Amino acid sequence: MIGRLNHVALAVPDLDAAAAQYRDALGADVGAPQELPEHGVRVVFITLPNTKIELLHPLGDDSPISGFLAKNPAGGMHHVCYEVDDIAAARDRLVAAGARALGDVKIGAHGKPVLFLHPKDFAGCLIELEEA
Amino acid sequence: MIGRLNHVALAVPDLDAAAAQYRDALGADVGAPQELPEHGVRVVFITLPNTKIELLHPLGDDSPISGFLAKNPAGGMHHVCYEVDDIAAARDRLVAAGARALGDVKIGAHGKPVLFLHPKDFAGCLIELEEA
């Protein structure tokens, strides 16, 4: 069912510093910061030949990243995103298999339908599914 | 400098259960468990169209994964691995940029030269570089 790894998301306490590390020390293709107020994040996309890295920083008072950074002040790996062809079919299959979705399908940061899965059902790893 | 994302490694408390979740609930291409005693891990590789997921579980008394699972008993995202063309050149560039390597270049789980970078220099994310 799952297809490509769309991205790995890393929560970072200083977006500009993390972007500079990837650009200067690691020599990666690092984009400009973007504010996504409807998702409560400021993001930098890093384009690798086969996938993307998303650097995430909280934006606003109700960011989904704030709690993670409170627990992990130095930053850390936040989630992985796998592509699926049909998000509704994916949700139904996962629920039938006993996995829990975190909320409903919604429109994600890339303008496509996404669904988050409970990390307790996947060995502590937060998984996002995105309809590619 | 960095090229493809070679893999994302997830530390899991129950390798068979995590493999079954990826195979049955997520419908992924999940390999058979492999023991790598020289690296202190039992691993399952999950092949996605563009990269791999590595499920890691401790093997033996001196596993590099044991400490992580003691801190994160439910499991969690452990590291990302980026490919580089020349590991010695990568190390020199990183050290010149002020980043710290964790130990020296050694032969990794795939039989290729690898180097781990200090998470404190990369916003809390453990990075492995592999000479592809």
Side-chain angles (χ1 to χ4, degrees), chain A residues 82-95:
Chain A
Y82 301 123
E83 297 178 359
V84 294
D85 289 334
D86 181 332
I87 196 100
R91 179 197 56 207
D92 292 348
R93 173 177 175 151
L94 284 156
V95 170

Side-chain angles (χ1 to χ4, degrees), chain A residues 1 21-22 27 50 82 121, chain B residues 1 21-22 27 50 82 121:
Chain A
M1 180 176 77
Q21 287 159 341
Y22 269 83
N50 60 333
Y82 301 123
D121 295 330
Chain B
M1 181 175 76
Q21 287 158 341
Y22 268 82
N50 60 333
Y82 302 123
D121 294 331

Side-chain angles (χ1 to χ4, degrees), chain A residues 1-5 8 12 21-22 24-27 48-51 53 74-77 80 82 93-94 121 123-124 127, chain B residues 1-5 8 12 21-22 24-27 48-51 53 74-77 80 82 93-94 121 123-124 127:
Chain A
M1 180 176 77
I2 57 171
R4 296 175 72 257
L5 177 74
V8 180
V12 302
Q21 287 159 341
Y22 269 83
D24 301 334
L26 290 169
L48 302 180
N50 60 333
T51 189
I53 305 294
M77 300 175 71
V80 290
Y82 301 123
R93 173 177 175 151
L94 284 156
D121 295 330
I127 293 176
Chain B
M1 181 175 76
I2 57 171
R4 296 176 71 258
L5 177 73
V8 180
V12 303
Q21 287 158 341
Y22 268 82
D24 301 334
L26 290 168
L48 302 179
N50 60 333
T51 189
I53 305 294
M77 299 175 72
V80 291
Y82 302 123
R93 173 177 175 153
L94 284 156
D121 294 331
I127 293 175

Side-chain angles (χ1 to χ4, degrees), chain B residues 34-56:
Chain B
Q34 301 174 40
E35 301 205 343
L36 303 175
E38 69 280 26
H39 296 285
V41 290
R42 220 170 142 240
V43 301
V44 164
F45 291 105
I46 298 165
T47 304
L48 302 179
N50 60 333
T51 189
K52 295 189 296 280
I53 305 294
E54 244 184 57
L55 304 179
L56 295 175

Side-chain angles (χ1 to χ4, degrees), chain A residues 8-94:
Chain A
V8 180
L10 311 177
V12 302
D14 182 331
L15 193 62
D16 293 335
Q21 287 159 341
Y22 269 83
R23 186 179 54 237
D24 301 334
L26 290 169
D29 177 3
V30 176
Q34 302 174 39
E35 301 205 343
L36 303 175
E38 69 278 27
H39 295 285
V41 290
R42 221 170 141 242
V43 300
V44 165
F45 292 105
I46 299 165
T47 304
L48 302 180
N50 60 333
T51 189
K52 296 190 296 281
I53 305 294
E54 246 185 54
L55 304 179
L56 295 175
H57 188 77
L59 178 68
D61 296 331
D62 192 28
S63 171
I65 309 301
S66 300
F68 182 90
L69 282 178
K71 283 187 211 158
N72 304 276
M77 300 175 71
H78 188 267
H79 68 264
V80 290
C81 176
Y82 301 123
E83 297 178 359
V84 294
D85 289 334
D86 181 332
I87 196 100
R91 179 197 56 207
D92 292 348
R93 173 177 175 151
L94 284 156

